[in-house]
Amino acid sequence: MRLLVKGGRVIDPEAGLDEVLDILIENGKIVSVASGIPAKGIPARVGAGAGAGTGTGAGGGAGIETVDEVVDASGMIVTPGLVDMHVHLREPGREDEETIETGTAAAAAGGFTSIACMPNTTPPLDTGAFVEAVRMRAARAGLVNVFPVGAITKGLAGEELAEIGELRDAGVVGLSDDGRSVMNAEVMRRAMEYAQMFDLPVIPHCEDTNLTAGGVMNEGYMSTVLGLKGMSPAAEEAMVARDIILAELTGARLHITHVSTAGSVRLIRDAKRRGVRVTADATPHHFTLTDEAVRTYDTNTKMNPPLRTREDVEAIRMGLADGTIDAIASDHAPHTFEEKDVEYDNAPFGIIGLETSLPLALTELVGGGYLPLGELIRRMSSNPARILGLGDKKAGIVAGADADLTVIDVKREFTVDINEFRSLSRNSPFGGRRLKGQAFATIVGGRVVFKRWVAV
Amino acid sequence: MPLKSKDVLGLEDLSVEEIELILQTAEPCKQIFTRDIKKLPTLRGKTMVNLFYEPSTRTRTSFELAGKWMSADVTNIATASSSVVKGESLKDTARTLEALGANIIVIRHQMAGAPHVIARCVKASVINAGDGMHEHPTQGLLDLYTIREHKGRIAGLKVVIIGDILHSRVAKSNIWGLTKLGAEVTVCGPPTLIPQGIERMGVNVEYDLDVALRGADVVNILRIQLERQKKGLFPTIREYSRLYGVNAKRLRAARPDILVMHPGPANLGVEITGDVAEGVRSVIHEQVTNGVAVRMALLYLLSGGGASGEIAG
Ligand SMILES: [Zn+2]
Ligand SMILES: [Zn+2]
């Protein structure tokens, strides 16, 4: 199986690439990155010494061979496969909200070649067997790479450590009790100490739940006006500060996910300056929307952490701009229409994001002048891949790497139509929003798993 | 329609002109109280449903009387006792009520925004009779009416609202209405009961009651929910009463013609002493009467009534 991605502007910030090139893929690996690789047939040895795109001949010296498939990427950009490091797939347990099959289809449509799925399923991913089951089902779905995140504590109860060694052997790429906060600092300290021997990142959901009890939105002027119970930014910041201190104490690798407040950004920036091993991600909704969006009591504005103020949104954007925030992750959290079609207080937290993440990032961050295109790609591919330890085989456009690529039409303007989502759920506040830039094709392991307008 | 929206969900949404119109329309409505036969034909053939998810005899009865005196067919639904509502979503219930012919739905709900959910899915007019910690617009309107009746104006008055501002929808509606009409509003209570960002609604915050009362024209005393103390929002009822209880001695700091208001029912001896509640400056009972007049005015305007002069005829 040979695939040729032809004529795209290839951008790989890690490899220092930004030029129009062709990419030849064979048996799931990139074999050549060069200009002018012919579509119909290729020479046995290509690109020797041809700029950045050196490749080894795949088939020996047997003259002309044909390419099985060509993706015409002219006018588009081709990037290392995008990685979403914070996704809820809901399987097992809530297959009415999302399944591994629909979730990975949504990921592919969003341009992601790899996703990390959170362990708060039913049952939670707190044993090796459950992790392996998810990986097997993901392999059977056969769309994008799924890397499970294992639980920090048994049953996500925040009390006893899960068997982290077994989880690691089963293939988890990080540890999190996401959806719940590990309130007990002693438990968190032991988790960090223990995780360190496997070099697994600890990815806490930072929320002091005593401070947020009953809260449904950001605490501030809007919660006062709307009469909804607020969740103070301090509830997030207190835990970010605590976990930074514990990471400093233990030397563990700490990754703060879904950073939502200006104070958290400040804490992380200071910690990085001190040399603490901390990384962070932020979601598209937290760098796009403010708590003003709650005004209509639309339950698709209810998420945790909640939408914050204009100042917080600006701080997140600046945190992305200066590198304090390493990655963009969607926190894709599917819920059925019926679950969300209730009073604001009664609705579950969370929105889907896999299919709007890239367009929002391109529109708001690149379009808004906060990040150059190459930097955005770094935040959505190599950085999350590095944090999760996915290795050099992912998220790089070099010969020998896994052929995980995203072809992006940065000029395409479109209106978000929630009925077009591949996700099983529709809980997005972005329906009807005008955005610019979208994935055109997603290639995983040398296979085109998604192409816009043509479902594969 | 003389009001811009088919619904009245909060005083935040109403313009100064709309508020003035409602208050003016309430005046002739109040005249009906002095009549032997308290009945106007205005809403004949219209159906009004009082949908109460939270018990409140006072507000429900007030709406019920307002509807009946305007000749509407009035139905009360209390969720605890009704099979119409059991197991149905808010939207289903609203659509059912509309299918049964409701023209006006009055809703009281423990959750903020519930009236908005209903208003969006029915053609009937929806009146918010109190939603969680959000708003209680008819209470706000009756308070405005009562103040204006006694003071002749709202603009320039110093109004103090005392107590649990955090959980009070009455406070919120009062603040919107009073500031729109030009009053100077101060909220007063312990910091644990003052919500974040309240200053941005255009009010002063004062923790010392004696300072707050200095030169005040109106004091509106909120009911303290005794269960808040158990949640640790203030140490004891006794301490609350000592710091924020309104008594005759404290009132001496205010203007001698101060108006004492309370949305009721009052915890006598806690947020207000009995002598003040029943004293000459108290208009607590009048507030109840004015509530019916204001609600009649709203029903009249929402059902297509025009200028305020027509109603008395
Ligand atoms: Zn979380
Ligand atoms: Zn999450």
Side-chain angles (χ1 to χ4, degrees):
Chain A
M1 175 69 195
R2 290 172 164 227
L3 173 70
L4 183 64
V5 181
K6 204 164 172 43
R9 179 182 157 202
V10 178
I11 302 180
D12 179 355
E14 299 298 316
L17 264 185
D18 185 351
E19 60 181 299
V20 174
L21 292 166
D22 302 336
I23 301 168
L24 181 66
I25 295 158
E26 188 172 324
N27 298 326
K29 302 276 182 202
I30 295 171
V31 293
S32 173
V33 186
S35 58
I37 301 176
K40 290 281 182 197
I42 55 155
R45 292 184 65 81
V46 287
T54 52
T56 52
I64 302 295
E65 290 171 58
T66 53
V67 171
D68 299 290
E69 191 178 353
V70 175
V71 173
D72 180 7
S74 48
M76 317 246 180
I77 64 165
V78 182
T79 74
L82 304 184
V83 179
D84 190 336
M85 61 186 300
H86 190 145
V87 170
H88 296 272
L89 288 177
R90 304 296 188 216
E91 187 178 352
R94 285 308 303 267
E95 289 81 357
D96 56 328
E97 293 180 330
E98 194 82 282
T99 65
I100 289 169
E101 198 175 335
T102 58
T104 52
F112 295 97
T113 57
S114 294
I115 57 176
C117 62
M118 287 292 157
N120 62 335
T121 47
T122 323
L125 307 184
D126 62 355
T127 69
F130 295 143
V131 171
E132 272 159 16
V134 166
R135 290 182 62 201
M136 271 169 55
R137 282 194 209 183
R140 207 181 308 147
L143 287 168
V144 308
N145 305 300
V146 174
F147 296 99
V149 171
I152 297 173
T153 64
K154 285 177 193 147
L156 310 176
E159 286 156 15
E160 296 170 72
L161 294 188
E163 288 187 17
I164 292 169
E166 181 188 275
L167 290 171
R168 197 278 308 260
D169 292 344
V172 302
V173 293
L175 299 168
S176 180
D177 276 2
D178 187 55
R180 305 233 196 132
S181 197
V182 179
M183 284 296 291
N184 186 324
E186 166 70 6
V187 172
M188 188 52 115
R189 175 200 172 153
R190 298 307 173 202
M192 284 192 191
E193 281 175 341
Y194 199 80
Q196 212 191 345
M197 80 172 134
F198 307 110
D199 197 35
L200 283 172
V202 175
I203 310 173
H205 170 105
C206 291
E207 176 187 355
D208 184 316
T209 52
N210 291 318
L211 283 173
T212 58
V216 296
M217 69 174 294
N218 182 49
E219 182 180 288
Y221 174 69
M222 282 313 299
S223 65
T224 293
V225 165
L226 295 173
L228 292 170
K229 184 142 192 326
M231 304 162 87
S232 170
E236 175 176 317
E237 291 154 11
M239 293 304 255
V240 168
R242 182 199 77 174
D243 289 345
I244 285 171
I245 290 163
L246 292 177
E248 231 169 338
L249 173 72
T250 60
R253 220 143 58 76
L254 172 67
H255 177 79
I256 309 284
T257 191
H258 52 48
V259 172
S260 76
T261 80
S264 295
V265 176
R266 213 159 38 231
L267 287 162
I268 295 161
R269 188 178 287 132
D270 291 349
K272 281 189 163 182
R273 235 172 247 158
R274 283 202 312 279
V276 184
R277 295 173 82 197
V278 59
T279 51
D281 71 64
T283 73
H285 46 274
H286 288 120
F287 63 65
T288 303
L289 299 174
T290 69
D291 57 358
E292 281 279 340
V294 184
R295 220 178 228 301
T296 55
Y297 295 98
D298 174 3
T299 55
N300 286 324
T301 63
K302 182 174 173 181
M303 58 276 285
N304 186 7
L307 296 174
R308 308 284 189 184
T309 65
R310 174 58 51 204
E311 291 71 45
D312 295 305
V313 168
E314 186 59 23
I316 303 253
R317 291 174 172 213
M318 293 312 291
L320 280 158
D322 72 8
T324 301
I325 300 173
D326 307 85
I328 290 164
S330 69
D331 198 2
H332 180 83
H335 293 291
T336 64
F337 179 78
E338 292 73 25
E339 286 175 285
K340 278 284 196 182
D341 190 31
V342 293
E343 300 85 340
Y344 205 86
D345 283 324
N346 284 342
F349 290 103
I351 60 164
I352 55 169
L354 280 167
E355 291 166 85
T356 49
S357 193
L358 175 63
L360 284 164
L362 286 167
T363 306
E364 299 291 329
L365 300 177
V366 178
Y370 291 87
L371 281 178
L373 189 53
E375 273 307 307
L376 177 76
I377 289 158
R378 203 194 291 271
R379 304 308 150 85
M380 297 187 78
S381 60
S382 52
N383 278 2
R386 178 172 39 81
I387 293 163
L388 298 176
L390 303 187
D392 295 337
K393 286 196 160 27
K394 296 290 171 212
I397 303 183
V398 285
D402 287 349
D404 288 0
L405 300 171
T406 304
V407 182
I408 302 167
D409 184 348
V410 287
K411 293 186 214 80
R412 178 178 146 76
E413 287 191 51
F414 70 105
T415 302
V416 178
D417 179 356
I418 59 166
N419 297 310
E420 275 181 13
F421 288 146
R422 267 74 170 174
S423 171
L424 203 50
S425 289
R426 298 279 173 270
N427 51 313
S428 166
F430 296 113
R433 204 178 178 95
R434 208 59 201 153
L435 297 174
K436 191 176 173 191
Q438 195 173 30
F440 169 73
T442 307
I443 298 164
V444 178
R447 221 158 52 81
V448 181
V449 295
F450 171 81
K451 210 167 170 187
R452 196 151 295 284
W453 315 132
V454 191
V456 175
Chain B
M1 197 180 293
L3 299 179
K4 275 183 243 118
S5 167
K6 73 175 176 70
D7 313 301
V8 175
L9 304 180
L11 289 194
E12 187 190 4
D13 316 318
L14 291 180
S15 67
V16 172
E17 295 72 32
E18 287 174 302
I19 294 173
E20 294 279 7
L21 176 64
I22 296 164
L23 298 183
Q24 277 161 29
T25 310
E27 280 168 31
C29 290
K30 197 179 177 184
Q31 304 307 314
I32 294 167
F33 282 79
T34 56
R35 295 190 190 173
D36 286 346
I37 300 165
K38 299 177 174 59
K39 203 86 167 171
L40 286 176
T42 321
L43 294 186
R44 196 173 286 157
K46 304 247 173 161
T47 299
M48 169 176 148
V49 178
N50 290 322
L51 179 59
F52 274 56
Y53 285 81
E54 214 182 49
S56 164
T57 312
R58 184 180 290 244
T59 303
R60 187 189 44 70
T61 309
S62 181
F63 269 107
E64 190 175 350
L65 284 175
K68 283 183 170 161
W69 291 355
M70 304 291 276
S71 302
D73 296 313
V74 182
T75 306
N76 295 316
I77 299 175
T79 50
S81 61
S82 168
S83 62
V84 181
V85 175
K86 243 173 219 160
E88 282 186 4
S89 79
L90 198 55
K91 279 184 181 176
D92 289 339
T93 303
R95 292 200 180 108
T96 303
L97 293 178
E98 187 162 60
L100 291 170
N103 305 102
I104 296 166
I105 299 172
V106 176
I107 174 174
R108 155 75 58 106
H109 202 286
Q110 62 276 20
M111 291 176 192
H116 303 67
V117 173
I118 286 198
R120 268 199 291 270
C121 69
V122 297
K123 284 190 213 72
S125 284
V126 175
I127 301 176
N128 180 2
D131 63 328
M133 305 185 288
H134 176 228
E135 280 219 48
H136 192 352
T138 55
Q139 178 74 41
L141 289 165
L142 77 88
D143 287 343
L144 289 175
Y145 185 90
T146 308
I147 294 169
R148 209 172 65 165
E149 195 178 36
H150 281 266
K151 299 285 178 191
R153 67 193 166 104
I154 302 284
L157 293 180
K158 280 186 72 172
V159 181
V160 184
I161 306 173
I162 301 169
D164 185 355
I165 312 296
L166 177 62
H167 298 93
S168 175
R169 51 199 174 208
V170 175
K172 248 73 84 51
S173 288
N174 264 267
I175 290 169
W176 289 125
L178 287 165
T179 53
K180 278 181 195 204
L181 298 189
E184 187 197 317
V185 181
T186 299
V187 295
C188 182
T192 47
L193 296 178
I194 306 284
Q196 291 263 314
I198 189 93
E199 310 82 8
R200 277 182 60 194
M201 290 178 74
V203 301
N204 310 309
V205 176
E206 177 55 62
Y207 304 124
D208 184 331
L209 179 57
D210 294 312
V211 172
L213 283 175
R214 254 175 235 159
D217 297 289
V218 179
V219 57
N220 199 350
I221 303 154
L222 302 174
R223 177 181 167 79
I224 200 80
Q225 301 279 329
L226 302 179
E227 62 268 25
R228 305 288 180 217
Q229 187 247 320
K230 291 193 190 76
K231 290 194 174 156
L233 292 172
F234 52 90
T236 57
I237 299 289
R238 183 171 158 272
E239 174 148 312
Y240 181 87
S241 178
R242 198 168 62 77
L243 293 174
Y244 296 102
V246 175
N247 54 37
K249 180 165 167 273
R250 279 210 155 113
L251 274 186
R252 277 178 218 136
R255 293 173 53 87
D257 59 347
I258 189 169
L259 218 55
V260 175
M261 304 174 77
H262 191 298
N267 299 301
L268 295 182
V270 179
E271 68 260 9
I272 184 170
T273 54
D275 57 330
V276 172
E278 296 301 328
V280 287
R281 296 158 179 177
S282 168
V283 288
I284 295 173
H285 299 296
E286 250 181 284
Q287 283 174 269
V288 179
T289 309
N290 290 341
V292 181
V294 161
R295 288 172 180 121
M296 287 172 77
L298 259 194
L299 294 175
Y300 172 75
L301 292 169
L302 285 176
S303 62
S308 57
E310 292 170 21
I311 208 160

